[in-house]
Amino acid sequence: MAKRLAADGWEDQRWTLLRVRTVIGRRFHLTYTIQGVCKLLVRNGWSCQVPARRAIERDDEAVAGWVKEVSAVSHPLA
């Protein structure tokens, strides 16, 4: 599937509804609305997944420490 995205000129690997609609149009010469593409995908067992937006520089250990620290201050009895 990643090769398909690269072949169609998209740099990243996200299959958006708009991209799926474009590929359907190019391969099968059919036109769908965005809602129609969504219904078609759901009917065929696909689900909508949104990637987590995280900074590349994110330090998960530092975030976990911060959460514990803030939690201790916010809920001292917990």
Side-chain angles (χ1 to χ4, degrees):
M1 300 245 315
K3 290 179 183 178
R4 176 86 232 166
L5 284 171
D8 285 331
W10 291 299
E11 295 175 6
D12 59 9
Q13 295 183 6
R14 289 178 290 173
W15 280 97
T16 63
L17 291 174
L18 184 60
R19 289 179 180 182
V20 172
R21 183 180 77 168
T22 301
V23 171
I24 290 171
R26 288 178 183 171
R27 290 198 67 192
F28 303 106
H29 305 288
L30 297 171
T31 56
Y32 280 95
T33 63
I34 296 296
Q35 294 85 2
V37 171
C38 183
K39 289 179 182 180
L40 181 68
L41 293 174
V42 168
R43 193 178 319 137
N44 286 288
W46 292 82
S47 64
C48 180
Q49 298 176 0
V50 179
R53 293 185 179 194
R54 295 186 177 137
I56 293 172
E57 302 85 11
R58 179 182 167 124
D59 181 359
D60 289 328
E61 291 178 14
V63 171
W66 178 83
V67 169
K68 286 181 183 178
E69 181 180 318
V70 170
S71 177
V73 171
S74 299
H75 307 288
L77 299 177

